[in-house]
Amino acid sequence: MPTQDALPESLPRHVAIVMDGNGRWAQKRWLPRVAGHKQGVEALRRVVKACLEREIPVLTVFAFSSENWNRPVEEVSSLMDLLVLALSREVPSLEGNGVRLHFPGDRHGLSKRVVQGLVAAENDTAHNHKLVLNVCFNYGGRWDMAQAARRLVAQGLEITEESLNGQMALAHVPDPDLLIRTGGELRISNFLLWQTAYTELVFTECLWPDFGPADLDRALQEYANRERRFGQTAEQVGQAEPLLAVGGERHA
């Protein structure tokens, strides 16, 4: 198990996480699913702290997908209440620790109370620069690409890779270098479809409420052991710097 002192020097600039397994964590303990979501907030607190300590500049998490509306009404309602409560409790601490919050996602259909909470949290932390924390809420990768295209059409602009990239919900940060999915599933479930074209993927059986700094370090070590070619050959990677492209990501 790698310790913080043993972490590689070449850490990712942007880590994305699909926080999966809250419900199963609760069911294994004969608890209601909302108990797993509450414990998931604790896990996120630990990971945010770990990213700050490791000086990882961007963390993006999948908190609520466009498809999660299909879950039982009681669970969706509990998730909304939990979000509002978490914002009121966590934002002052995040603001004091230099975290800047963004909430990428579709705000249509969210209650006025939830939207006001998201906007207030973004405004209260807008001056921070230590860590950008993107909490994707009511987000879907296909929605993201569609809304970006609609914006360009509305402005009468040509749709190109560069112009589309500039309208994506995460245009304010570089593409993820590393995506971690907890809970044992081997898919990305409509998360950051555009942005993860060259992202390294790490899957773990660990359920999200149990995820902590040691699990993050294992994923970081696995990332460090990968060779990122961006379309080049291994020989080219060793001879030249990859070219810069849209979104701050490197491509051949």
Side-chain angles (χ1 to χ4, degrees), residues 10-243:
S10 56
L11 289 172
R13 297 167 301 165
H14 183 174
V15 174
I17 304 178
V18 179
M19 306 182 295
D20 193 22
N22 291 342
R24 282 173 284 158
W25 183 92
Q27 290 171 342
K28 286 173 62 176
R29 291 159 177 78
W30 300 98
L31 296 171
R33 290 177 61 88
V34 68
H37 296 306
K38 289 179 179 178
Q39 195 61 36
V41 174
E42 298 297 320
L44 180 56
R45 183 186 293 118
R46 294 193 299 267
V47 171
V48 168
K49 182 174 183 291
C51 287
L52 284 167
E53 292 172 347
R54 289 149 183 77
E55 298 183 350
I56 294 171
V58 184
L59 173 64
T60 299
V61 297
F62 206 5
F64 189 86
S65 76
S66 307
E67 291 76 28
N68 285 157
W69 291 106
N70 296 322
R71 292 188 176 187
V73 174
E74 297 80 5
E75 182 175 353
V76 172
S77 178
S78 296
L79 282 168
M80 295 298 166
D81 291 339
L82 182 60
L83 172 65
V84 173
L85 180 62
L87 288 172
S88 64
R89 289 183 175 178
E90 303 296 331
V91 170
S93 175
L94 293 170
E95 191 277 330
N97 285 306
V99 177
R100 181 172 185 174
L101 279 162
H102 287 271
F103 294 92
D106 186 2
R107 298 188 182 180
H108 294 95
L110 299 179
S111 71
K112 183 178 180 179
R113 181 178 63 145
V114 168
V115 172
Q116 287 176 337
L118 301 183
V119 172
E122 289 179 335
N123 290 339
D124 289 346
T125 62
H127 60 283
N128 285 336
H129 301 287
K130 285 186 179 179
L131 172 69
V132 175
L133 174 58
N134 300 303
V135 181
C136 293
F137 197 84
N138 197 25
Y139 175 90
R142 291 178 176 178
W143 164 85
D144 198 0
M145 288 186 279
Q147 66 83 27
R150 283 196 299 270
R151 288 186 180 187
L152 292 174
V153 170
Q155 298 173 59
L157 299 175
E158 181 184 2
I159 297 178
T160 66
E161 285 191 28
E162 185 175 4
S163 65
L164 196 62
N165 188 77
Q167 297 297 326
M168 302 297 286
L170 274 80
H172 58 285
V173 293
D175 292 344
D177 300 297
L178 168 65
L179 185 147
I180 304 166
R181 177 165 186 155
T182 64
E185 302 292 352
L186 305 179
R187 57 180 180 270
I188 59 175
S189 297
N190 197 24
F191 185 45
L192 304 181
L193 298 181
W194 174 269
Q195 297 86 349
T196 54
Y198 280 90
T199 300
E200 297 295 326
L201 308 180
V202 172
F203 300 97
T204 173
E205 295 287 335
C206 179
L207 301 177
W208 175 246
D210 293 325
F211 195 88
D215 302 289
L216 176 63
D217 288 348
R218 277 190 285 271
L220 294 176
Q221 189 64 61
E222 185 170 342
Y223 168 82
N225 292 335
R226 307 265 181 97
E227 181 180 66
R228 307 189 74 198
R229 300 182 184 176
F230 303 99
Q232 296 178 317
T233 66
E235 290 76 14
Q236 286 177 303
V237 171
Q239 293 172 1
E241 287 293 325
L243 301 177

